């Protein structure tokens, strides 16, 4: 029989720690899934790496410090997500009436800052608003795959992490980027 943990059945929570830190360009630290109880919260806390949550259903609130250290509050709903940046103090809380269910992944690597620079995501804009539904759905599928295949080899999981990151970048690509017709661009 599954035991309860703070009112949650264990089937409502999956948590995995990646056992291998030998990857440099892109590394996985921890990942999981949670169907939160009403009002469930985490934080205030800061992470050493990037932490992305994709909200599959429900709603919640993110309180996160912006680039000047001022706490901003964001309402997040199903189909959206949020990025927590290294060192960013944050708290997130599931809605009391329609609590969220999300999948998360904590990752980092030498080229992550550069990769995320082409998206709308930043400490000042941590909420993921997908611009492309198909890429968003593929990104969510990769997150779910990683979460439910912890027994696979490290190379297998890193491969799927690369696919997740590619779909995240494609679906959150900044619409603010200036395009030009120069061949060098």
């Amino acid at each position: 029989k599954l035991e309860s943990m703070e009112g949650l059945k264990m089937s409502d929570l999956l948590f995995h720690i990646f056992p291998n830190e030998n990857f440099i360009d892109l590394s996985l630290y921890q990942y999981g899934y949670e169907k939160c109880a009403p009002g469930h919260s985490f934080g205030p806390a800061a992470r050493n790496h990037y932490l992305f949550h994709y909200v599959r259903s429900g709603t919640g609130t993110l309180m996160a410090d912006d680039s000047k250290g001022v706490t901003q509050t964001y309402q997040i709903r199903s189909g959206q997500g949020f990025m927590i940046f290294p060192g960013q103090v944050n708290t997130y809380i599931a809605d009391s009436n329609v609590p969220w269910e999300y999948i998360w992944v904590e990752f980092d690597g030498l080229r992550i800052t550069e990769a995320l620079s082409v998206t709308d995501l930043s400490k000042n804009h941590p909420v993921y608003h997908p611009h492309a539904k198909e890429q968003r759905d593929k990104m969510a599928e990769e997150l779910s795959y990683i979460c439910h295949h912890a027994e696979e080899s490290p190379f297998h999981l890193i491969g799927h992490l690369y696919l997740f990151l590619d779909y995240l970048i494609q679906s959150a690509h900044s619409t603010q980027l200036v395009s030009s017709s120069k061949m060098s661009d």
Side-chain angles (χ1 to χ4, degrees), residues 101-174:
E101 168 187 357
Y102 52 59
I103 303 171
W104 78 87
V105 62
E106 185 173 4
F107 62 99
D108 212 331
L110 293 177
R111 301 194 58 205
I112 299 303
T113 302
E114 176 188 351
L116 293 177
S117 71
V118 299
T119 71
D120 289 333
L121 297 168
S122 69
K123 280 187 176 181
N124 293 334
H125 301 282
V127 179
Y128 167 73
H129 298 281
H131 302 299
K133 183 184 181 310
E134 184 178 341
Q135 275 74 27
R136 179 205 66 194
D137 292 347
K138 288 180 178 180
M139 181 216 56
E141 286 173 17
E142 290 301 330
L143 276 176
S144 185
Y145 183 91
I146 291 167
C147 184
H148 290 96
H149 291 84
E151 74 287 349
E152 295 291 345
S153 75
F155 283 106
H156 185 91
L157 291 174
I158 291 293
H160 283 277
L161 185 63
Y162 271 104
L163 291 171
F164 152 77
L165 185 61
D166 184 54
Y167 291 130
L168 174 69
I169 291 167
Q170 288 183 49
S171 64
H173 199 272
S174 179

Side-chain angles (χ1 to χ4, degrees), residues 56-67:
R56 294 173 50 163
S57 66
T59 61
T61 303
L62 169 68
M63 291 172 282
D65 287 0
D66 62 17
S67 61

Side-chain angles (χ1 to χ4, degrees), residues 11-82:
S11 60
D12 292 338
L13 175 67
L14 292 174
F15 177 77
H16 304 285
I17 295 175
F18 191 65
N20 192 316
E21 294 186 22
N22 295 328
F23 295 91
I24 297 170
D25 284 348
L26 183 60
S27 187
L28 183 57
Y29 291 91
Q30 53 105 349
Y31 50 99
Y33 156 86
E34 187 167 4
K35 183 175 182 180
C36 294
H40 174 75
S41 67
F42 183 86
R47 299 287 181 162
N48 293 326
H49 310 286
Y50 295 88
L51 178 63
F52 181 77
H53 287 73
Y54 175 71
V55 180
R56 294 173 50 163
S57 66
T59 61
T61 303
L62 169 68
M63 291 172 282
D65 287 0
D66 62 17
S67 61
K68 294 180 179 172
V70 178
T71 303
Q72 304 295 326
T73 301
Y74 307 91
Q75 298 302 312
I76 301 169
R77 66 180 188 277
S78 176
Q80 295 179 328
F82 57 96

